[in-house]
Amino acid sequence: MDINLFLSVVFLLLCFAPLGSGQYEDIDLEDDIFPNSDLSTVPLRVRRQIKTLMNKETKPHIQELSVKTTVISRYAVTSVSCTMLNRHSTATEGVFPFQIPAAAYISNFTMIIGGKVYPGEIRPKEKKVKLVKEGGAKPQKEREGGESEGDVEAFRVAVSVPAKSQAVFLLTYEQLLQRWLGGYELVTSLRPQQLVSRLSVQVTVADHARITQLEVLPLQNEKSAATASSGAKTQAKPTPPVSTVIQRNRTSCKISFSPSIVQQAKIATSGNLGDFIVRYEVERELGIGDIQFLNGHFVHYLAPKNLPVVPKNVVFVIDTSASMMGTKIRQTKEALFAILRDLNPNDRFNLVSFSSRVKVCQPGQLMTVTPNNIRDAKKFIYMMTPSGGADINGAIQTSSALLSTQVSSPGARPNSVSVILLLTDGRPTVGELESPRILSNTRAAVQERLCVFTVGIGKDVDYRLLERMAAENCGRTRRIMQESHTKDTLKRFYDGIGSPLLTDIQVGYTEGSVQDVTRSHFTNYFNGSEMVIAGKLTNQSSESVHIEVTASSSGRRLVLEADVALRQTRAGQGQAFSNRQTGYAERLWGLLAVKDGLRSRRHSQTRREREELGRQVTNLSLAYNLLTPLTRMVLETADAQLHGNVPENSATTDLSEETIGDLAQSLHRKTEQPGTSVGKPIKKSITISKTSADGDPHFVVEFPLSKLTVCFNINGEPGHVLRLVSDHENSGVTVNGKLIGAPAPAHSHKQQRTYFSTITVVVAQPKRAYIEITPRKVILDATDRMILPCDTTAAVETDGLGVAIVGRANVTVTVQGTIAFVILVHQYKNPAPYQRDHLGFYISNSKGLSKHSHGLLGQFLYQEVGLITPPLSDTVPDHSLAPPPDPALKIKERTVSVVRKSRKLYNGRQKVDCWFVRNNADKLIDGHYEDYVVPHLFDTGNGLHKTNGN
């Protein structure tokens, strides 16, 4: 037994003392029912009703039920303590029922009966397990039927409690909260099946990131379901349950719920209060995600946003067997009507209904989202009538064939996401009935190209079949226990998969810096969800870890890179938070490693491979004391004579899980791939010519043919948009820059400074695209819209257009491989009043720009310039006393006076000598400065007076 667990048990023993003899002769029923209540404030009728209910109880009464959950960086550990009192004069069976999340793993269960401790011990599962002796403790995890609600499962222990004695049950389970629809949800089920004297729920959330949203929902129970079903108006903003207290600061919050027994009775006299739900979200930075290092382990949370939605192919598979009659089919139809309204224009879809027969809305193909097809789909939904049995296997085969045809067709979109959404309220009764064969047939039909999501309604569903079908095919499952919840739950479930953002995501880390990395390849990423990776550090003295994320986004290839400093991360987490989170990263790694191992075991091809994976998962489960499908929990309990003479040899009770917590943690469809290692980051060298506009802004033009460099200033006004390059009619490229103002430094001859706050590159060929660059982000707007941060190294390539970001340094835009612009990013940590975050624009490659290019910089790309020195005047008698005449430039038959100056380029790293032209480049540029001021950043007028010429 773990020493920490042992100390916890000892502490609880002290808390619940005296338990010595287990005898309670003087029991005051009134004090037991109203332990902390002012009886003068409790209505007499309510008191009598509660007393009546209590007097009718034949089982031990639950004196106290305490549920405490601590969430550290989205990893939740819940401790449940339940104290029962048997007031009767004979031993009575006590039942401890508690519902835990389906994705959670039990890590401890201990009983204290009559003052004696019976700890649970995790052991490897044996191939043959003997039945429990009659009368002994009977702990079990109910997966089918029972009182499960939503994504939870009933845990139940029954044991004989001696006369006038207490029984204490201690349960601990752990889970990684899954992000869904842009937030985290913690559900605590409160269904003790009787009123509780002292009931309390305490939730503590601590994160190193700022908590941006926090919401405590009303209790979700049969009463709220009936209200929703009746169509009663709900409040605009849901209010927390009565007695809820919320305390919060920037990065943590504490929520407590402690209804008195009177308040419980007003909610439900049965004691089944419902689900206590806390939802929250944390602040997220754009880019590589959030990575935390602790005690030799790391956890990487990755949830990109501001990306375009990837087109999807979706088939809705709906059970129309006779059991769907009534509320279920009505609400399913309403949900489908709402879902059809939310389909994206680029999506393709179809509907399949199944009972004893399988029917398809439009056989043989998927439908595009057009008014006529939506109308046909609505008619198909309206005509669905429940009857007959349920051919689940036939429905899955039909829908898989529809999607496979679409995926393999010549006109298939390579980066689309294909999804099956199955809804049923029962078990297979027609066609193939054996679950193993259905699962095998599904895997063969899907072939890791599709994702299967499943929804079950009611208590008669084969949830194990639905869970495995989803888990084995990169999906997720959802349970709907109340028929009246069908519409809202189905619609919300679809919303979670309705916006795929990335496909084929691969995360890699510096080679040799990490090991034992959990799954790092993800087939799909959906908006509002999250990818979580954990691993071990091989060298804790390293300065940093290089991270590289590659993915496809709506036809583009996306690469994100960053160097994460280990020391900086540790220091930035804060001492208080670090103290609270000690050990969490390692346990999270253990939990994810177990899930990955179980998933790999399911996909194993040989018996030897399956056995080896099973051994690895078993060892991990034992190391982290987790009850998994390959382990069992053994309780050394007394037999049926527990209430009397306890024999020396106690019975052994197995509490095992077949599939506890064995659900898909993320939305993927490919088999396991080992964590990818990447080499040390390669310093990206960029070729930059001197032709640029940077700083205040200072313009520099390099004339390679003339071997001269010319410079000038543009003293524009804040808000002006300047045309830098214009070649729209030829290469299809236009570059504009917007000026921002700042006060001039002290003792400066200028009244103000101006800088480029935004640079835009408009591309017309081969496809229209807009690139907007600021010191903080890059917006790529082509067929769809993508936003990338400037503080992360990233790269995107699509249709001959490339955008590469070197974090906090520069952005390179390439067009067709023959045009390249480099935009330097100038960011200040502590800017002076005259400093502003700004950009510098450099032309790196101009081969693809035509000879007709124009703009403040573009007009010089194919020009030659000559340097001339005017002769000395004959009117001056003594040439030695006269100042040397100013040199001049000859360009386009114009003569421009210049003086010698120097400029600093590339953040001051290089100095260049140049010939300076005064007065806003008067006579050097075609026309005047005002001719290059354009109406807006995305204007593509062809330059001076709407021509490319002179």
Side-chain angles (χ1 to χ4, degrees), residues 177-191:
L177 297 185
Q178 293 178 297
R179 189 166 182 260
W180 191 249
L181 290 173
Y184 302 94
E185 183 175 278
L186 178 71
V187 179
T188 303
S189 181
L190 298 174
R191 292 175 173 82

Side-chain angles (χ1 to χ4, degrees), residues 262-278:
V262 175
Q263 292 169 329
Q264 295 173 49
K266 290 181 179 180
I267 298 170
T269 56
S270 64
N272 295 333
L273 305 183
D275 293 331
F276 183 77
I277 302 176
V278 176

Side-chain angles (χ1 to χ4, degrees), residues 313-354:
N313 310 309
V314 57
V315 176
F316 303 97
V317 184
I318 307 302
D319 187 345
T320 56
S321 60
S323 57
M324 285 287 292
M325 190 77 70
T327 302
K328 286 183 279 191
I329 193 64
R330 177 176 57 81
Q331 291 222 346
T332 298
K333 289 181 177 182
E334 292 175 359
L336 289 173
F337 288 143
I339 288 171
L340 288 179
R341 291 194 295 269
D342 289 347
L343 289 174
N344 295 317
N346 293 328
D347 292 342
R348 294 179 182 176
F349 73 103
N350 210 329
L351 295 106
V352 173
S353 67
F354 69 95

Side-chain angles (χ1 to χ4, degrees), residues 392-548:
I392 293 178
N393 183 72
I396 290 294
Q397 296 300 307
T398 300
S399 56
S400 298
L402 285 169
L403 286 169
S404 297
T405 301
Q406 176 65 40
V407 169
S408 59
S409 64
R413 295 163 295 185
N415 292 295
S416 60
V417 173
S418 297
V419 170
I420 294 173
L421 179 55
L422 167 69
L423 180 140
T424 180
D425 74 331
R427 303 167 180 272
T429 59
V430 176
E432 182 57 65
L433 306 181
E434 297 295 327
S435 293
R437 288 187 175 275
I438 295 176
L439 292 171
S440 177
N441 293 342
T442 301
R443 287 194 300 269
V446 167
Q447 294 182 354
E448 300 181 0
R449 296 183 298 177
L450 323 172
C451 288
V452 180
F453 295 85
T454 58
V455 178
I457 308 176
K459 300 179 180 179
D460 298 325
V461 182
D462 186 348
Y463 282 118
R464 186 176 174 190
L465 171 63
L466 296 187
E467 288 168 356
R468 291 197 61 183
M469 185 180 293
E472 293 178 6
N473 299 283
C474 86
R476 178 172 174 153
T477 192
R478 176 62 175 155
R479 304 179 180 193
I480 306 175
M481 297 309 299
Q482 299 298 325
E483 297 178 4
S484 53
H485 287 171
T486 303
K487 175 185 175 182
D488 293 337
T489 306
L490 179 57
K491 179 60 171 64
R492 180 176 173 81
F493 187 72
Y494 169 78
D495 289 343
I497 62 175
S499 299
L501 300 184
L502 295 174
T503 61
D504 191 22
I505 308 105
Q506 182 71 56
V507 184
Y509 304 88
T510 307
E511 185 177 358
S513 65
V514 298
Q515 64 182 4
D516 298 335
V517 178
T518 60
R519 185 210 301 240
S520 58
H521 179 269
F522 306 92
T523 302
N524 299 318
Y525 164 70
F526 294 85
N527 188 33
S529 63
E530 184 174 59
M531 295 168 282
V532 183
I533 307 162
K536 299 178 181 179
L537 294 172
T538 56
N539 184 4
Q540 297 188 49
S541 62
S542 297
E543 293 293 328
S544 64
V545 172
H546 183 68
I547 305 173
E548 181 177 286

Side-chain angles (χ1 to χ4, degrees), residues 521-758:
H521 179 269
F522 306 92
T523 302
N524 299 318
Y525 164 70
F526 294 85
N527 188 33
S529 63
E530 184 174 59
M531 295 168 282
V532 183
I533 307 162
K536 299 178 181 179
L537 294 172
T538 56
N539 184 4
Q540 297 188 49
S541 62
S542 297
E543 293 293 328
S544 64
V545 172
H546 183 68
I547 305 173
E548 181 177 286
V549 180
T550 61
S552 292
S553 173
S554 193
R556 305 183 181 98
R557 195 60 185 165
L558 173 65
V559 180
L560 302 174
E561 294 182 76
D563 292 313
V564 181
L566 271 65
R567 294 178 182 177
Q568 180 180 351
T569 304
R570 295 191 195 102
Q573 289 173 344
Q575 185 63 40
F577 177 72
S578 296
N579 290 339
R580 287 196 298 268
Q581 70 166 348
T582 300
Y584 111 88
E586 181 179 354
R587 291 202 65 83
L588 191 152
W589 172 83
L591 185 144
L592 288 182
V594 166
K595 290 180 179 292
D596 286 351
L598 291 171
R599 194 176 294 111
S600 297
R601 183 172 175 266
R602 283 197 303 268
H603 289 279
S604 59
Q605 302 296 318
T606 65
R607 180 179 178 180
R608 183 176 181 179
E609 181 185 3
R610 179 180 174 85
E611 290 178 350
E612 174 60 23
L613 288 169
R615 184 185 62 80
Q616 294 175 8
V617 172
T618 300
N619 291 339
L620 276 171
S621 303
L622 296 175
Y624 290 94
N625 208 61
L626 297 175
L627 185 58
T628 69
L630 301 183
T631 58
R632 59 194 178 111
M633 181 172 283
V634 177
L635 288 168
E636 298 293 334
T637 66
D639 62 9
Q641 305 299 318
L642 180 66
H643 57 280
N645 298 318
V646 180
E648 285 186 28
N649 298 323
S650 58
T652 298
T653 300
D654 282 348
L655 172 60
S656 60
E657 291 186 341
E658 187 61 31
T659 52
I660 288 180
D662 188 17
L663 295 180
Q665 290 299 296
S666 47
L667 311 175
H668 326 301
R669 62 171 174 262
K670 289 190 178 179
T671 55
E672 263 57 30
Q673 296 188 10
T676 301
S677 296
V678 297
K680 293 183 179 180
I682 299 174
K683 297 298 182 180
K684 297 175 175 60
S685 60
I686 53 176
T687 302
I688 307 178
S689 73
K690 299 174 185 177
T691 302
S692 60
D694 204 347
D696 192 10
H698 302 316
F699 287 72
V700 176
V701 178
E702 186 177 27
F703 293 88
L705 298 179
S706 306
K707 296 183 180 180
L708 291 174
T709 301
V710 179
C711 50
F712 58 91
N713 295 344
I714 292 294
N715 298 314
E717 296 294 329
H720 278 181
V721 179
L722 305 183
R723 171 85 78 244
L724 301 178
V725 176
S726 177
D727 195 29
H728 185 72
E729 291 184 352
N730 298 283
S731 65
V733 174
T734 303
V735 182
N736 299 321
K738 185 176 182 179
L739 296 176
I740 187 175
H747 311 298
S748 173
H749 65 279
K750 295 183 178 180
Q751 294 184 351
Q752 68 173 358
R753 287 187 165 194
T754 53
Y755 304 93
F756 283 118
S757 63
T758 308

